[in-house]
């Protein structure tokens, strides 16, 4: 049995914020993944515009504001998101998972949008993915083309974008994760995750934070997402 | 107080599976001849006199609709 560790017990490699909105579900797992990777998770609250000096930010999954209006639409206008947009402009790594991805698209930090699955059904499965880009702040630990398995659980997971946006994403190597073994939701070009132009902001529909420990997930393939961010943080500190 | 209506619909090129589900239900209720259904959202806003059309389009484009996937119309009643 692993003893519970608190931030007072050890020195952490970095501090990574995890945002909680009303309706967020996966903030606890995201914080756990951050801790497993070796960074201190810092709780960030939707109503605050202060990121408490964190080195990176995770916008976790769930149903912020009950998916009212559109998934992520209300969260994108909250004070903490203004702080995230400001921090992202300075190059702080930001990861949006599932509803977090929807929020980052609604906030304009990532292009495109997530809409209702083509089959209308909620999809919940262990999903195979290919890591298409390892030059982002969240994928540096992977080998290019690596195949990983992480849970996917969403009903508004179909990524869409205008043709010109799509061409730019593909042309610039900003498609980060692609679905393998059949497209679960009708996403264009089988896209599961994308990055910002500078590679610091990444969003994906599947849940790497649920795949960090064989006890609770289908694999440990997701852990390197969080380890990659720590590398990116320490790398930019060294630089 | 003037009332404004904003209607939001998915862009033509965006697949609308909810509209398609409605389409598939129509023959089951004995209705034929409906060529297409697009499902959208209807907003009714009661606004002060000084809320002009520019502000209304800002409300529509930045919050009520997502311009990546949706078109909108604004009309005063």
């Amino acid at each position: 049995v692993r003893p519970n560790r608190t931030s007072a017990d050890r020195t952490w490699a970095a501090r990574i914020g995890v945002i909680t909105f009303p309706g967020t579900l996966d903030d606890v797992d995201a914080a756990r993944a951050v801790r497993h990777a070796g960074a201190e998770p810092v709780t960030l609250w939707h109503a605050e515009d202060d990121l408490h000096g964190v080195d990176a930010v995770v916008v976790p999954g769930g149903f912020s504001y009950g998916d009212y209006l559109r998934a992520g639409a209300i969260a994108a206008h909250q004070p903490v998101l203004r702080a995230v947009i400001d921090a992202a402009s300075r190059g702080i790594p930001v990861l949006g998972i599932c509803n977090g991805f929807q929020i980052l698209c609604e906030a304009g930090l990532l292009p495109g949008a997530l809409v209702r699955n083509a089959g209308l059904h909620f999809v919940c499965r262990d999903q195979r993915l290919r890591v298409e880009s390892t030059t982002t702040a969240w994928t540096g630990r992977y080998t290019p083309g690596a195949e990983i398995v992480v849970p996917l659980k969403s009903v508004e997971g179909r990524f869409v974008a205008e043709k010109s946006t799509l061409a730019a994403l593909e042309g610039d190597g900003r498609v980060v994760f692609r679905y393998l073994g059949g497209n679960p939701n009708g996403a264009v070009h089988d896209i599961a995750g994308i990055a910002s132009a500078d590679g610091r902001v990444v969003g994906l529909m599947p849940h790497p934070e649920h795949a960090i420990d064989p006890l609770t997930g289908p694999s440990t393939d997701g852990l390197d997402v969080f380890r990659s961010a720590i590398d990116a943080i320490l790398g930019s500190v060294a630089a | 107080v003037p009332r404004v209506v904003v209607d939001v619909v998915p862009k033509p090129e965006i697949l609308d599976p909810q509209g398609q589900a409605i389409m598939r239900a129509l023959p089951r209720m004995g209705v034929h001849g409906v060529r297409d259904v697009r499902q959208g959202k209807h907003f009714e806003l009661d606004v002060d006199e000084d809320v002009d059309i520019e502000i209304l389009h800002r409300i529509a484009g930045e919050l009520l609709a997502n311009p990546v996937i949706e078109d909108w119309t604004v009309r005063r009643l």
Side-chain angles (χ1 to χ4, degrees):
Chain A
V1 176
R2 204 195 312 261
N4 285 330
R5 289 182 302 205
T6 66
S7 53
D9 294 332
R10 56 174 289 188
T11 306
W12 301 96
R15 298 172 71 243
I16 299 182
V18 178
I19 298 177
T20 300
F21 295 97
T24 296
L25 300 176
D26 299 323
D27 43 349
V28 176
D29 268 25
R32 180 167 173 259
V34 165
R35 201 178 299 118
H36 271 244
E40 178 187 6
V42 177
T43 299
L44 301 175
W45 185 239
H46 66 98
E48 290 184 22
D49 59 4
D50 184 357
L51 298 184
H52 299 283
V54 295
D55 303 304
V57 175
V58 178
V59 190
F63 295 87
S64 60
Y65 302 90
D67 274 356
Y68 287 5
L69 188 59
R70 290 177 306 280
I74 306 294
H77 287 269
Q78 298 309 308
V80 74
L81 245 288
R82 282 200 289 276
V84 170
I85 291 167
D86 184 52
S89 72
R90 298 194 309 271
I92 281 187
V94 178
L95 176 70
I97 304 167
C98 196
N99 188 223
F101 184 16
Q102 295 161 342
I103 292 167
L104 296 184
C105 288
E106 282 282 346
L109 278 176
L110 291 171
L114 284 310
V115 295
R116 189 63 64 109
N117 291 350
L120 282 175
H121 291 286
F122 192 99
V123 173
C124 183
R125 62 158 87 146
D126 295 333
Q127 177 68 48
R128 279 204 305 134
L129 303 174
R130 186 166 55 237
V131 183
E132 298 279 20
S133 167
T134 58
T135 60
T136 80
W138 297 91
T139 53
R141 284 266 181 145
Y142 294 96
T143 51
E147 293 189 16
I148 64 174
V149 175
V150 301
L152 174 71
K153 43 165 199 173
S154 46
V155 72
E156 310 252 352
R158 174 165 53 105
F159 181 77
V160 296
E162 286 169 17
K163 270 189 182 144
S164 57
T165 305
L166 202 54
L169 286 173
E170 293 283 4
D172 298 340
R174 290 168 57 192
V175 174
V176 183
F177 299 99
R178 225 184 284 270
Y179 297 116
L180 290 177
N183 187 326
N185 51 31
V188 290
H189 294 202
D190 300 335
I191 289 173
I194 58 169
S196 59
D198 65 0
R200 306 295 279 183
V201 181
V202 168
L204 77 167
M205 286 312 298
H207 289 262
E209 84 283 17
H210 292 332
I212 58 145
D213 179 345
L215 182 68
T216 53
S219 73
T220 57
D221 294 348
L223 191 57
D224 276 343
V225 167
F226 303 91
R227 287 183 175 145
S228 297
I230 295 171
D231 290 351
I233 291 162
L234 298 180
S236 46
V237 169
Chain B
V1 179
R3 173 159 289 187
V4 172
V5 167
V6 178
D7 284 310
V8 176
V9 290
K11 286 186 174 183
E13 67 269 26
I14 299 285
L15 172 71
D16 176 18
Q18 296 180 104
Q20 290 187 343
I22 295 165
M23 278 290 287
R24 288 194 295 275
L26 288 171
R28 293 199 288 272
M29 61 179 281
V31 172
H32 300 276
V34 177
R35 299 287 182 86
D36 192 25
V37 176
R38 308 286 288 170
Q39 178 175 324
K41 298 189 185 95
H42 172 92
F43 300 88
E44 295 180 353
L45 292 72
D46 294 331
V47 301
D48 289 342
E49 297 284 356
D50 59 351
V51 177
D52 62 20
I53 193 73
E54 193 181 331
I55 295 173
L56 290 169
H57 275 287
R58 218 189 116 212
I59 293 168
E62 292 181 22
L63 185 60
L64 302 183
N66 178 342
V68 176
I69 50 172
E70 295 165 325
D71 294 325
W72 68 87
T73 55
V74 175
R75 64 195 156 89
R76 291 179 185 275
L77 294 190

